[in-house]
Amino acid sequence: MGRTRRVFSSTVVAAPSRRTIVACHVCSSRNDTTYIEARGYRIAQCRKCGLWFVNPQPAVEELLQFYATYDDGEQWRNLEEHFNRGVRKAILQTKPSGRVLDVGCGSGNFLRCIKEAGFSALGIEPSNSGSEYGREAHGVDIYHGMIEDYLALHGGRSFDVVTLLNVLEHLTDPAGTLSQLWKVLAPDGLLVIVVPDARFHDLIGRLRRFVGVSDPYWIEQPKSFLSGFKLPDHLCSFQPRTIASLLRRCGFQVVTMESAPVVFNAGLGRNVAKLLMFWVSRALHFFTYRRIVIGYSTLVVARKVQHSIHLRSATNELC
């Protein structure tokens, strides 16, 4: 799993016979329609809540084979400082100190960044190369393994902040993982998430398809600059309303939601385009009194809600 900040070096060997048809990860509906079919996979769209998700879902063995060759690219090792500082600033507006758990920490750059602000920090990373790099380059504490393995061994530990930065879209059971992370968050703890805003990818893809471009969503090209839909590793493609609904379902209340800080590229042209889009998104957010959130990626800060409030909210949603 880890960040979308990865470069992958081999093609997945598909195992369609072992794939599983799943319900919507946000609302549990089984009523969906085909949105895109590419690379031997089907991206569905839930007819009830609008979530885009891969269905049937790849088998665990298939995903493990893919992630075995997953490694941090140069972009994420050396060009993410602006992104990390932006996420750190969002945390500091509510939490001036505490214990941070970064799930899917990649090369440990964010762990280093948040430690510089006085936080204690631990990362979880399934990539061997990523966890080794983080320990050696930054001297940060990283658990090499899957989220579920760590929680099974250390479920009693408590954190003030849990971050999933470009990670949630990779998870086979995002609702289950968020519910588990709810348990390790301290009372009034913060959950900080960054996910690609799939609406931007959807808009570009629709325009390209309208003019007859082959592979309009760039899904056949694994190194596309668009990240709303990526196969097979992005199992869910979120937009603000679907991520907000998922968080409510799992016991969290959204505190802030805005366009995420930029991760820079080596090319100047792409950086200019990214920064322009970022500032336009932030301006639109400001002048609409925080009503409109749109951008390349979305940053969400949510607060843990106690069980009694969570259950009452969930009951109201069902009514």
Side-chain angles (χ1 to χ4, degrees):
M1 263 139 314
R3 309 282 199 260
T4 30
R5 54 181 75 179
R6 312 283 185 150
V7 176
F8 21 96
S9 57
S10 69
T11 303
V12 174
V13 177
S17 62
R18 297 203 302 271
R19 293 176 187 164
T20 305
I21 295 176
V22 295
C24 173
H25 298 291
V26 169
C27 69
S28 299
S29 171
R30 291 190 175 272
N31 184 8
D32 63 56
T33 184
T34 298
Y35 174 73
I36 303 171
E37 288 185 294
R39 301 182 67 192
Y41 296 90
R42 172 181 179 263
I43 297 177
Q45 184 168 23
C46 178
R47 292 181 183 272
K48 183 177 180 181
C49 72
L51 177 72
W52 290 293
F53 62 108
V54 178
N55 199 19
Q57 188 166 269
V60 173
E61 298 80 7
E62 186 178 349
L63 292 171
L64 288 175
Q65 181 180 356
F66 175 79
Y67 286 117
T69 58
Y70 221 40
D71 188 23
D72 278 345
E74 186 68 18
Q75 173 188 9
W76 284 99
R77 286 198 171 113
N78 298 311
L79 298 171
E80 65 168 319
E81 191 65 18
H82 177 268
F83 172 86
N84 289 333
R85 289 178 180 273
V87 174
R88 184 178 70 183
K89 180 180 178 181
I91 293 172
L92 287 169
Q93 289 174 351
T94 305
K95 292 282 184 185
S97 63
R99 295 156 295 179
V100 175
L101 174 64
D102 186 19
V103 179
C105 66
S107 297
N109 291 336
F110 179 72
L111 293 173
R112 172 195 51 75
C113 183
I114 199 71
K115 282 186 69 176
E116 289 173 354
F119 289 79
S120 63
L122 169 71
I124 300 175
E125 174 55 41
S127 164
N128 185 54
S129 60
S131 54
E132 282 186 0
Y133 179 91
R135 294 190 201 102
E136 294 173 5
H138 304 307
V140 291
D141 188 8
I142 299 177
Y143 172 84
H144 173 221
M146 305 298 286
I147 304 169
E148 297 79 7
D149 298 333
Y150 174 82
L151 294 176
L153 292 172
H154 305 284
R157 294 191 66 177
S158 177
F159 298 90
D160 300 292
V161 181
V162 172
T163 57
L164 296 100
L165 309 179
N166 292 303
V167 169
L168 194 68
E169 64 272 18
H170 293 258
L171 303 182
T172 57
D173 181 14
T177 299
L178 289 177
S179 296
Q180 287 182 297
L181 293 174
W182 186 96
K183 297 175 183 177
V184 301
L185 265 176
D188 204 38
L190 293 183
L191 178 72
V192 180
I193 293 175
V194 172
V195 290
D197 187 345
R199 294 175 303 172
F200 178 62
H201 198 155
D202 172 56
L203 174 62
I204 299 299
R206 286 175 182 271
L207 291 173
R208 283 166 53 88
R209 185 170 60 186
F210 179 76
V211 298
V213 176
S214 62
D215 187 25
Y217 294 88
W218 278 292
I219 292 180
E220 301 293 345
Q221 304 174 44
K223 293 185 179 181
S224 164
F225 74 96
L226 293 176
S227 59
F229 305 99
K230 285 173 77 267
L231 294 169
D233 50 323
H234 284 199
L235 300 178
C236 288
S237 296
F238 294 101
Q239 52 184 305
R241 65 187 177 94
T242 53
I243 191 65
S245 295
L246 177 61
L247 290 172
R248 284 195 301 271
R249 172 187 171 185
C250 297
F252 297 94
Q253 179 182 17
V254 174
V255 177
T256 61
M257 182 181 291
E258 59 191 12
S259 181
V262 170
V263 177
F264 288 117
N265 298 91
L268 177 62
R270 287 183 63 179
N271 290 336
V272 171
K274 279 186 171 184
L275 283 172
L276 178 62
M277 184 174 183
F278 172 78
W279 287 115
V280 169
S281 300
R282 286 291 177 98
L284 186 63
H285 189 233
F286 176 79
F287 287 113
T288 60
Y289 300 98
R290 300 181 179 270
R291 291 191 181 93
I292 296 179
V293 179
I294 189 167
Y296 189 81
S297 294
T298 305
L299 168 65
V300 187
V301 177
R303 192 184 304 278
K304 177 178 178 177
V305 177
Q306 295 307 309
H307 270 303
S308 58
I309 302 174
H310 172 216
L311 290 174
R312 185 162 61 247
S313 174
T315 302
N316 292 338
E317 259 189 46
L318 294 172
C319 294

